[in-house]
Amino acid sequence: AQRVTQPEKLLSVFKGAPVELKCNYSYSGSPELFWYVQYSRQRLQLLLRHISRESIKGFTADLNKGETSFHLKKPFAQEEDSAMYYCALSAALNNAGNMLTFGGGTRLMVKP
Amino acid sequence: DTGVSQDPRHKITKRGQNVTFRCDPISEHNRLYWYRQTLGQGPEFLTYFQNEAQLEKSRLLSDRFSAERPKGSFSTLEIQRTEQGDSAMYLCASSSGGNKKYFGPGTRLTVT
């Protein structure tokens, strides 16, 4: 069975400070990992996925299979980054679907 | 297209009552998912539809829960004989294949 762990429930940093939101996973297959973000009063939305190897809003995440981690990083936090962040792993379902297994989430607060 | 919509956004019901939620996916999306999110947790997978066929159900989905997608467009999730433990946010997501899912705003259920 797959599992995603986000060890920090809350991360508080000052504006301009570096940010790292931790995510560890366990999965017997080849993982596909995502970060989702939920801003206040908004719906859950995809931030980035590891296969895209892209930087979105200054955030990056690298899949480390050896450490089974997919930490989210940003060199300089902005106040508008304050939100709830969820790490998620995609596992194939029968019949071509796929389900997301989410971590418990980390609330990022960026103070002015 | 305004994305995935869910109705109602909030529902308060008394224990033992039945409730039904509706999800309207993005129009061209053939895959539809239901997730449940309790306070302080990440979303948990409940069930998956491809077109009108319900192809996967989580063990979280007890006999009191039933979901349908009769014409392959909108979906309903019904909970019979609600219990206080059913209080949660119920999220719907849709996709057109691949792993990018679009989430709705959710229906918050409170069972008193």
Side-chain angles (χ1 to χ4, degrees):
Chain A
Q2 56 272 9
R3 186 178 177 86
V4 177
T5 303
Q6 293 178 250
E8 301 141 328
K9 284 287 188 187
L10 173 65
L11 184 62
S12 182
V13 301
F14 285 103
K15 177 182 172 181
V19 170
E20 183 179 51
L21 286 79
K22 291 183 167 49
C23 172
N24 289 89
Y25 67 90
S26 63
Y27 183 52
S28 56
S30 183
E32 186 170 1
L33 285 144
F34 304 80
W35 278 98
Y36 279 79
V37 61
Q38 188 166 26
Y39 301 102
S40 179
R41 297 189 181 86
Q42 294 187 27
R43 63 187 65 191
L44 199 59
Q45 57 185 283
L46 179 65
L47 179 62
L48 56 79
R49 52 197 298 188
H50 90 271
I51 61 171
S52 301
R53 300 186 66 80
E54 58 198 343
S55 173
I56 304 292
K57 299 184 179 183
F59 284 98
T60 59
D62 291 318
L63 178 61
N64 185 323
K65 291 186 178 181
E67 296 183 357
T68 60
S69 68
F70 187 57
H71 303 327
L72 184 67
K73 300 177 183 179
K74 185 169 183 176
F76 308 104
Q78 304 298 314
E79 289 181 69
E80 56 266 30
D81 296 329
S82 295
M84 197 74 187
Y85 290 81
Y86 293 96
C87 182
L89 181 151
S90 178
L93 294 168
N94 296 328
N95 301 297
N98 56 79
M99 59 174 271
L100 292 172
T101 298
F102 287 86
T106 298
R107 179 167 298 283
L108 174 64
M109 291 179 57
V110 182
K111 297 176 288 189
Chain B
D1 193 318
T2 57
V4 179
S5 61
Q6 292 186 244
D7 184 70
R9 297 290 306 276
H10 304 274
K11 178 70 177 179
I12 300 174
T13 191
K14 292 184 177 179
R15 189 176 56 189
Q17 297 295 304
N18 299 346
V19 294
T20 300
F21 311 141
R22 176 180 171 125
C23 170
D24 286 89
I26 293 171
S27 58
E28 64 268 24
H29 286 184
N30 63 339
R31 296 179 184 181
L32 187 147
Y33 302 81
W34 284 98
Y35 287 79
R36 181 175 70 185
Q37 185 174 20
T38 52
L39 204 59
Q41 303 296 320
E44 296 172 293
F45 170 77
L46 290 178
T47 190
Y48 157 62
F49 288 86
Q50 184 164 315
N51 300 311
E52 68 277 5
Q54 186 176 19
L55 298 181
E56 194 80 23
K57 291 198 295 185
S58 162
R59 279 172 286 183
L60 290 176
L61 217 62
S62 76
D63 291 345
R64 296 184 298 104
F65 287 69
S66 63
E68 294 182 342
R69 195 182 182 197
K71 298 181 180 179
S73 56
F74 74 91
S75 175
T76 58
L77 178 67
E78 180 183 16
I79 310 174
Q80 296 182 327
R81 304 181 304 282
T82 51
E83 301 173 356
Q84 287 189 322
D86 297 332
S87 295
M89 178 74 86
Y90 289 84
L91 296 168
C92 177
S94 71
S95 74
S96 59
N99 279 332
K100 185 169 183 179
K101 292 179 178 54
Y102 295 82
F103 281 84
T107 294
R108 182 172 295 285
L109 173 66
T110 303
V111 181
T112 62

